[in-house]
């Protein structure tokens, strides 16, 4: 078990299986020392636990938890190409999309779910740049989608 996975276990979490692609793409690709994940939905056991717009059918607190799940799925995607999460030198960037009700403006707070998880699991290596974007709709009517970019150590 990697140190990162041991930290997840210490937090009462475990790395899920990689979420299979919904269309023609890969969950993650490596280019040089960087891994780029596809947008990760908050899938749990192959299903979305909740659907709808944040600020309407989904509360901001629920959405924050869903963003955390997205980050876990992103870490699984990174491991699928890196082989070992202990190779993560740092999370470089997080991009999050929040399916938002027309008057909802709390996208940054929702994406804190992903950012806080990455910090808790990776420490200083989890500190990153981030974008939090409100959108009209996401695939499968998901409330949140997160993608990450990480730098790996050479081996």
């Amino acid at each position: 078990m990697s140190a990162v996975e041991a930290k997840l276990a210490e937090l009462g979490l475990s790395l899920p299986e990689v979420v299979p692609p919904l269309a023609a793409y890969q969950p993650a690709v490596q280019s040089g020392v960087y891994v780029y994940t596809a947008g990760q939905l908050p899938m749990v056991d192959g299903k979305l636990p909740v659907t709808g717009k944040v600020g309407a059918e989904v509360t901001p607190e629920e959405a924050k938890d869903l963003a955390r799940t997205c980050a876990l799925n992103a870490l699984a995607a990174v491991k699928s190409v890196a082989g070992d999460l202990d190779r993560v030198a740092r999370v470089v960037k997080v991009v999050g999309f929040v399916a938002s009700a027309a008057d909802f403006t709390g996208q940054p707070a929702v994406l804190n779910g992903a950012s806080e998880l990455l910090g808790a699991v990776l420490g200083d290596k989890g500190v990153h740049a981030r974008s939090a974007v409100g959108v009209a709709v996401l695939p499968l009517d998901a409330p949140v989608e997160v993608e990450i970019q990480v730098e790996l150590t050479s081996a």
Side-chain angles (χ1 to χ4, degrees):
M1 177 182 291
S2 73
V4 172
E5 290 178 87
K7 183 64 177 178
L8 282 168
E10 186 180 305
L11 296 170
L13 302 168
S14 61
L15 206 60
E17 294 295 318
V18 177
V19 176
L22 300 174
Y25 62 88
Q26 294 297 311
V29 296
Q30 183 174 347
S31 180
V33 296
Y34 295 97
V35 174
Y36 302 84
T37 72
Q40 300 293 311
L41 300 178
M43 302 290 264
V44 176
D45 297 325
K47 301 181 285 202
L48 288 173
V50 67
T51 59
K53 307 277 186 291
V54 181
E57 302 87 2
V58 181
T59 69
E61 295 77 21
E62 289 173 310
K64 184 177 179 181
D65 287 342
L66 294 169
R68 179 179 167 146
T69 300
C70 291
L72 277 172
N73 289 340
L75 287 173
V78 168
K79 182 182 177 185
S80 76
V81 296
D84 184 348
L85 288 176
D86 287 346
R87 290 189 60 210
V88 173
R90 78 167 303 144
V91 177
V92 177
K93 177 96 188 242
V94 172
V95 179
F97 304 95
V98 180
S100 302
D103 61 346
F104 182 72
T105 60
Q107 292 84 4
V110 168
L111 269 294
N112 280 346
S115 294
E116 291 168 2
L117 174 85
L118 294 168
V121 172
L122 296 165
D124 289 342
K125 295 176 185 181
V127 177
H128 52 268
R130 186 181 83 188
S131 298
V133 182
V135 298
V137 68
L138 289 167
L140 305 178
D141 200 24
V144 183
E145 181 175 340
V146 173
E147 63 183 57
I148 68 173
Q149 301 163 8
V150 303
E151 180 183 0
L152 300 176
T153 60
S154 56

